[in-house]
Amino acid sequence: MSKKSIKMLLIVEDNPGDARLLREMFKEQGSHNTELTHAECMSEAERHLSEHTFDLIVLDLGLPDAQGLAAVRRAHAAAPHVPLVVLTGLDDESLAAEALQEGAQDYLIKGQIGTRGLLRSLRYAIERKIMEEALFVEKERAQVTLNSIGDAVACTDIAGNITFLNLVAEKMTGSSREEAVGRPMAEVLRILDAASRETVPNPMELAVGKNRTVHLPLNCVLVRRDGFEIPIEDCVSPIHNREGEATGAVIVFRDVSVAQAMALQMAHSAQHDFLTGLPNRMLLNDRVSQAIVLAQRHMKKVAVLFLDLDGFKHINDSLGHPIGDKLLQSIAKRLVDCGRSSDTVSRQGGDEFVVLLSEVEQSDDAATTARRMLQAIAEPHSIGQHDLHVTASIGLSIYPDDGLDAETLIKNADTAMYQAKENGHQSYQFFKSAMNVRAVERQSIEESLRRALERQEFALHYQPIVNLRTGEITGAEALIRWTHPTRGPVSPAQFIPVAEDCGLILPIGNWVLREACKQARAWVDSGLPRGTIAVNISAIEFRDERFLEGVFGILKDTGLDPRSLELELTESVLMKRAESTESILKALRARGVQVAVDDFGTGYSSLSYLRRFPIDALKIDQSFVRQITTAPDETTIVTAVISMGRSLKLRVVAEGVETQQELAFLQAHQCDEAQGYFFSRPLPPKQFAKLLKTGIPEAVVLIHP
Ligand code: C2E
Ligand code: MG
Ligand code: MG
């Protein structure tokens, strides 16, 4: 304890002898620092107390204007924070004890006061007052804390009777502190096991018995006084005295109903699709795995149906996502209605659904369900003011025939679905292992393609395009060639679609364009006849936001005259997003770059765009040219395209001319240009340069009058 010095002392004593005695005792002790103030009555004391701050009051209990406890109370009221030591006579010890109850720190009995004892008593009185104040603050802090935390707190004594409840505990139990204090804990806190409805053993006894913090078992409910049940979580800790013996317990508990509801909700949403409420991919995988185990035991089959909507993207793009979402919900409902209650309909994301048919007798049953689902989906969906028509394609895989685990079954059903799409819309298709071979093949192409550019496995070949009136070579189409290190040459018809799917078409297309322009410029520089170089552009390149920038950059870098470049685009590319198509084509036209419609006639054949867009040439697809020899009666398309081209002032180029007969027909119908094996196969650059020099022999290009 620190030796607290007494600087300001107030002695309240009407007896001058006693007062003098005290003063002398102080002097004797050499307490020169202490400033003594003397009051002869309470009212004088009160005046001093209101004017100065004292460290201590020594108070006689027999004052003329205040006696006994009344004196203590008045002094305390005048200076509640100043420690108080009372002076009594020998016969008044019981009064002194009461004074202590009223807040005095100590008492001195007149006639028995020794000098040393006096000072020690006064010092202790001050220390005790400081500690009391600190304890009060501490207690107050604990009280405020307990009432402001969100958890409920209850305390018990060692007998298990409640000694305290905070506000939250009052609310949760339905008992006020006054009502609860003194009653057994089990009465105030009625805790049941939610499942068994049995009373949970008093956790306080456990905590005290084990002398450590214990928790309630999971799934407990607190029964409020009015019978309402609240799910709770709690912990109970024993309280110890200085000797370390348990003297009671503190129980902290909280309402977990919100947390529990949230956990349930989260568990549900982790396994379900938010849009349709159907099980998601994860839950489906579990269900398929379970179904496999059951089917194995009962010697049954399991079917997995992979369903994808046809043209859903178009609906989403044209009518907006809210309508698309409603359509998916409507489809989800129909699929659920089609299945049995033991089936699982899940949504994989996007417009893909996977249906699990458990315990199937034979594959045919699955086919029946697939047909039923296709039909149900095809019925119009009335959404908002729209009556939407949509079809789907379904791929099926069967356990154990097509796979032994969930992942393989779903993957194979997916593969089969792609085949169903190729077969035509609104059809279903069982998985065949040959499909896998194709998928593997595709993947291996993709892997090698990734390295093909840096390993310089690509080359360009050039196929001449011939003017059918003059027989001159007017230009060439650049065609990519890939020599795979082990497979040898791979056809562009095989790898271009893969490159488009995996995005590699962008760097590859860029390489082709640059290479072709460089070559064309080199031929011009070496004095060869000037011609047009035609380069195929895939949809993905054309839609890339940096497409124009790329074309113009390459023209600038290679120094090729833009009028010598022709870009070949297919009809389907031109048809989509007319606005942006038009602006891109206009930008190309403004620089002099030409545009040809490739494979004309095989696409949409919506001809209005031919008038709208700045286009220079039409390339008649070789399948139509072939008809000239194979089905001479059906040449209307070829003649129609030629005459249409003429009326729209477009150059018409016939592709894939292989025979004299085809050539003669085209010339007779005044087709402008042609290309094909009849004139030349696509050639490597050196050979093409030679051909450019010599030209195609006139004998080959029979000029019809
Ligand atoms: P396409 O643009 O229609 O090219 C014409 C295709 O017909 C070429 O096939 C060409 O070799 C072939 N061909 C030319 N004359 C005849 C003939 O008389 N008879 C027959 N049966 N075929 C003939 P290729 O080179 O295999 O290219 C196939 C397709 O691959 C091209 O069709 C084009 O769509 C695409 N392609 C080729 N190179 C590129 C390229 O660099 N970029 C892009 N994006 N696609 C390319
Ligand atoms: Mg082409
Ligand atoms: Mg073509």
Side-chain angles (χ1 to χ4, degrees):
M1 238 181 241
S2 65
K3 280 258 172 347
K4 176 100 180 138
S5 65
I6 306 166
K7 291 208 182 74
M8 294 279 284
L9 176 66
L10 176 64
I11 297 173
V12 193
E13 173 60 83
D14 60 332
N15 182 325
D18 289 344
R20 190 172 354 102
L21 192 68
L22 284 171
R23 201 187 286 271
E24 272 163 15
M25 279 179 174
F26 266 94
K27 272 201 191 128
E28 210 174 298
Q29 270 300 307
S31 298
H32 304 292
N33 293 338
T34 307
E35 187 184 318
L36 291 179
T37 307
H38 180 208
E40 287 179 0
C41 62
M42 184 49 81
S43 44
E44 192 187 346
E46 282 166 342
R47 187 166 49 76
H48 286 303
L49 286 169
S50 70
E51 285 167 3
H52 306 284
T53 308
F54 290 91
D55 295 315
L56 186 72
I57 306 167
V58 175
L59 175 71
D60 178 32
L61 292 186
L63 296 171
D65 54 351
Q67 286 92 36
L69 292 182
V72 177
R73 284 187 200 122
R74 277 178 68 178
H76 196 64
H81 300 292
V82 181
L84 191 66
V85 172
V86 296
L87 292 169
T88 59
L90 189 53
D91 48 352
D92 264 349
E93 264 207 80
S94 62
L95 175 64
E98 284 178 68
L100 294 186
Q101 290 281 318
E102 285 293 325
Q105 266 65 44
D106 203 356
Y107 63 87
L108 297 167
I109 296 171
K110 287 185 183 173
Q112 295 194 344
I113 310 171
T115 314
R116 290 169 69 80
L118 169 72
L119 275 181
R120 197 173 56 232
S121 166
L122 297 188
R123 279 206 188 103
Y124 278 168
I126 292 174
E127 299 291 354
R128 213 171 292 140
K129 181 73 182 173
I130 289 171
M131 272 169 60
E132 255 174 34
E133 295 270 305
L135 199 66
F136 179 83
V137 169
E138 186 82 356
K139 237 174 127 176
E140 184 66 15
R141 183 162 49 214
Q143 183 85 11
V144 169
T145 306
L146 286 174
N147 278 334
S148 49
I149 59 174
D151 288 351
V153 179
C155 302
T156 70
D157 58 19
I158 189 68
N161 295 321
I162 298 285
T163 55
F164 172 82
L165 290 184
N166 73 349
L167 283 174
V168 180
E170 287 183 330
K171 225 184 268 167
M172 282 179 67
T173 57
S175 301
S176 71
R177 187 187 308 179
E178 288 72 32
E179 292 164 333
V181 166
R183 285 173 50 212
M185 180 196 140
E187 257 179 61
V188 181
L189 294 178
R190 283 181 51 216
I191 301 173
L192 302 182
D193 181 300
S196 70
R197 313 294 302 163
E198 277 169 25
T199 305
V200 171
N202 192 335
M204 180 240 145
E205 279 168 20
L206 205 64
V208 172
K210 295 199 166 169
N211 201 12
R212 62 172 173 78
T213 299
V214 297
H215 293 269
L216 270 185
L218 291 175
N219 261 331
C220 283
V221 291
L222 173 73
V223 185
R224 208 164 59 190
R225 211 159 142 197
D226 59 5
F228 187 82
E229 296 182 7
I230 307 165
I232 59 164
E233 239 170 42
D234 88 340
C235 68
V236 186
S237 311
I239 307 177
H240 300 114
N241 63 13
R242 279 204 212 197
E243 281 67 44
E245 297 156 346
T247 58
V250 178
I251 302 142
V252 180
F253 51 103
R254 75 181 67 91
D255 181 345
V256 292
S257 46
V258 173
Q260 259 180 15
M262 211 140 92
L264 276 179
Q265 171 76 42
M266 272 163 71
H268 185 270
S269 46
Q271 294 196 312
H272 290 81
D273 165 48
F274 72 96
L275 182 65
T276 59
L278 292 177
N280 65 9
R281 191 188 298 259
M282 209 172 77
L283 186 53
L284 177 86
N285 270 33
D286 280 0
R287 297 252 174 104
V288 175
S289 301
Q290 283 167 17
I292 287 175
V293 173
L294 280 179
Q296 211 169 12
R297 200 177 298 156
H298 301 143
M299 309 283 283
K300 293 269 174 69
K301 291 172 186 276
V302 170
V304 172
L305 280 64
F306 202 110
L307 183 148
D308 186 284
L309 299 181
D310 304 323
F312 176 71
K313 201 178 146 354
H314 176 70
I315 291 179
N316 235 359
D317 289 349
S318 53
L319 299 179
H321 288 262
I323 299 279
D325 285 354
K326 290 220 175 69
L327 178 60
L328 289 174
Q329 286 165 340
S330 162
I331 282 166
K333 190 170 169 307
R334 290 196 193 170
L335 290 178
V336 171
D337 291 345
C338 279
R340 298 167 301 174
S341 59
S342 56
D343 299 337
T344 300
V345 177
S346 75
R347 177 163 172 247
Q348 300 282 294
D351 58 348
E352 293 176 346
F353 295 85
V354 173
V355 182
L356 159 70
L357 311 180
S358 45
E359 305 220 6
V360 173
E361 296 288 345
Q362 48 193 12
S363 314
D364 262 4
D365 299 347
T368 309
T369 307
R371 275 195 299 270
R372 207 166 51 226
M373 290 184 161
L374 289 176
Q375 247 164 30
I377 288 178
E379 295 291 320
H381 300 256
S382 101
I383 285 157
Q385 310 105 318
H386 308 276
D387 260 346
L388 298 179
H389 293 263
V390 63
T391 59
S393 307
I394 295 182
L396 295 105
S397 66
I398 304 286
Y399 167 88
D401 316 0
D402 304 325
L404 297 177
D405 57 72
E407 200 187 331
T408 312
L409 285 172
I410 295 169
K411 197 187 81 210
N412 288 345
D414 185 11
T415 306
M417 184 275 294
Y418 274 102
Q419 186 60 53
K421 276 219 189 277
E422 277 180 31
N423 295 349
H425 291 337
Q426 208 182 348
S427 69
Y428 66 91
Q429 167 80 48
F430 278 97
F431 175 75
K432 295 195 199 80
S433 51
M435 293 174 187
N436 245 345
V437 174
R438 249 195 14 218
V440 168
E441 161 96 4
R442 213 181 153 90
Q443 196 176 3
S444 119
I445 288 184
E446 181 179 331
E447 274 160 28
S448 336
L449 261 186
R450 291 193 183 280
R451 275 159 300 177
L453 258 185
E454 62 192 69
R455 293 191 183 176
Q456 306 187 329
E457 291 166 5
F458 293 123
L460 286 188
H461 283 190
Y462 299 87
Q463 185 175 40
I465 299 173
V466 180
N467 181 316
L468 292 186
R469 251 181 330 105
T470 64
E472 282 167 357
I473 296 176
T474 59
E477 176 173 6
L479 292 158
I480 191 166
R481 295 293 173 259
W482 179 27
T483 312
H484 188 279
T486 54
R487 293 162 185 263
V490 183
S491 149
Q494 216 180 342
F495 73 80
I496 293 286
V498 179
E500 285 176 339
D501 276 358
C502 67
L504 282 171
I505 192 66
L506 289 177
I508 293 175
N510 194 276
W511 177 85
V512 169
L513 189 61
R514 183 173 295 274
E515 191 64 23
C517 290
K518 215 165 32 180
Q519 186 59 262
R521 170 74 204 215
W523 284 328
V524 172
D525 290 346
S526 65
L528 288 167
R530 187 181 289 264
T532 305
I533 190 89
V535 175
N536 294 288
I537 301 294
S538 92
I540 296 179
E541 295 173 73
F542 186 72
R543 293 294 166 201
D544 187 65
E545 54 185 23
R546 302 215 306 251
F547 171 67
L548 278 178
E549 195 184 312
V551 172
F552 296 146
I554 286 172
L555 284 170
K556 185 162 170 272
D557 293 349
T558 57
L560 183 70
D561 180 352
R563 285 169 303 180
S564 299
L565 178 64
E566 181 163 89
L567 302 181
E568 294 192 2
L569 302 163
T570 60
E571 275 175 282
S572 57
V573 175
L574 296 172
M575 288 299 299
K576 280 175 205 149
R577 289 188 249 162
E579 291 302 320
S580 71
T581 300
E582 186 172 0
S583 77
I584 296 171
L585 294 182
K586 280 187 170 152
L588 290 168
R589 165 71 58 95
R591 298 279 189 108
V593 177
Q594 303 185 58
V595 172
V597 183
D598 202 355
D599 305 341
F600 186 77
T602 59
Y604 287 77
S605 299
S606 155
L607 304 176
S608 59
Y609 73 89
L610 289 181
R611 285 184 209 282
R612 174 169 177 188
F613 296 151
I615 290 168
D616 302 281
L618 299 179
K619 296 189 79 171
I620 307 176
D621 189 66
Q622 47 174 292
S623 59
F624 303 119
V625 173
R626 201 66 62 241
Q627 289 180 346
I628 297 171
T629 18
T630 56
D633 295 340
E634 293 174 40
T635 49
T636 36
I637 295 186
V638 180
T639 49
V641 173
I642 295 173
S643 62
M644 191 174 65
R646 210 177 11 247
S647 72
L648 291 172
K649 304 211 161 49
L650 299 176
R651 196 157 30 92
V652 178
V653 186
E655 287 187 290
V657 177
E658 291 185 351
T659 65
Q660 172 88 52
Q661 194 190 344
E662 285 159 6
L663 173 62
F665 182 95
L666 293 165
Q667 283 177 323
H669 289 86
Q670 296 174 348
C671 180
D672 301 301
E673 297 179 347
Q675 83 188 82
Y677 297 169
F678 184 72
F679 306 108
S680 166
R681 293 203 166 237
L683 300 172
K686 276 200 188 119
Q687 278 171 262
F688 183 80
K690 247 187 245 164
L691 187 68
L692 260 187
K693 228 177 267 169
T694 58
I696 295 189
E698 262 186 43
V700 174
V701 196
L702 281 171
I703 313 285
H704 285 252

